[in-house]
Structures are given as C-alpha cells and as structure tokens.
Amino acid sequence: MTSQGVRAADYELGGVPVKEAQSPWQVRLRGLGVITRDSDRVDGVAGSDLSYSDTVIPELDISYFFTDNIAAELILGTTYANVDGEGSLASLGQVGKTWILPPTLTLQYHFNDFGAFKPYVGAGVNYTIFYNQDGRAADDLDIENSFGAALQVGFDYMIDDNWGWNVDVKKIFLRPDFDVTVGGNRLHGKADLDPWLIGTGITYRF
C-alpha cells in the first residue's frame, strides 16, 4: 500500500472522513468573586463576631476528561482577606489580614446534548491554606488550614471546537478554627466562612 493510501485510511472510513479525536485536556482562565458568609464566633466572648472582606481574583483551572461526560477539574488561585471585628468586637476595627490559597479538586459530569451549550455539575474537596497572616488590632492571628467539601455548577458555551465562554459557581463549606491574641488574652473560635466562588472567563480545549 502506498503512503498516500495509508494517509487516506487514517482519515477516511468507507469514503467518510473520520474526525480526529479531541484532546482530554482543557484549561480555563476566569475572573472570580469570593463572597464569604461571615458568621464567626469567639469562644467566651458574648456577642462576638468577625467578618472577612470579599475579593475579586484571577483563577486558573485545569481539567482532564476521562470520557466525553466525566472530567476532573483542579482549581488554582490565591487571594487575601481583611479580618474585621464585629458585634462586641467592633471597637477593634481591623483585627488582621491573611492570604488564602484554596486549591479545589472536583469530579464533574458534563451534559453534551445541547450543542454549543455544555452545562455541568461537580462535587469535590477543598483544602484551604492560610498564609502570611498578620495581626493588626490583634497581637497575633492564626487561622488553621482546613479541608472542606465543594459543590459546583456551570456551563461552557463553545464558539468553536477549541474556544468557549465559561460561567461557574462553586460553594465551599469551610469552617476553620482560629486563635487570636488581643491585649495578651489568647482567644479561640471558629470561622464559618462557607464562601461562594462566582466566576466567568474563557475556556480552551486542546
């Protein structure tokens, strides 16, 4: 068989062109709003509360498709949050500041029966790392790294085989313990953050 015949067999079956298989890899770049629940408590301090500033950050995610419907997605990004006293702690003002690294891995199901519109749902696990923590009104601030569950819903609208527009919403169930030192008093509590992560951006399928 000639080399030309081999190439034809690679791309035609019974005279019908065979479409080249798509890569299983996909990346997205999103702008992401991080909106926290802000329902904390400091043990032993009546009426105490803390709030965390909402932020907008860039986010990169990498997906691998095991099948046309099943994919795993790793979400990467980092942000910061100002920690402010509320309730009986309002007089403290800004208690401190922390940077947050919340890598999240989800397993997704993609619906492919709607043409260019490709919705998906997902669930997975988050591990949030709090770093570069700095006390302001507090002498010391220590928020512990923590695991949390993650739920996800979103869609891609594909412009062509490679490029698309993405909208994505995630809910992270995140409630780390923290210690704070104010006026020489060491206090303990739990931060009920439970943030919403709401993003939109571009999709590229290799």
Side-chain angles (χ1 to χ4, degrees), residues 34-54:
V34 182
I35 304 170
T36 57
R37 179 185 175 196
D38 292 342
S39 178
D40 294 4
R41 61 181 183 273
V42 179
D43 297 343
V45 181
S48 61
D49 197 3
L50 297 172
S51 67
Y52 296 79
S53 57
D54 299 330

Side-chain angles (χ1 to χ4, degrees), residues 75-97:
I75 302 147
L76 302 170
T78 190
T79 185
Y80 71 91
N82 295 320
V83 184
D84 296 306
E86 301 287 347
S88 60
L89 301 178
S91 60
L92 294 177
Q94 186 176 330
V95 175
K97 181 178 179 178

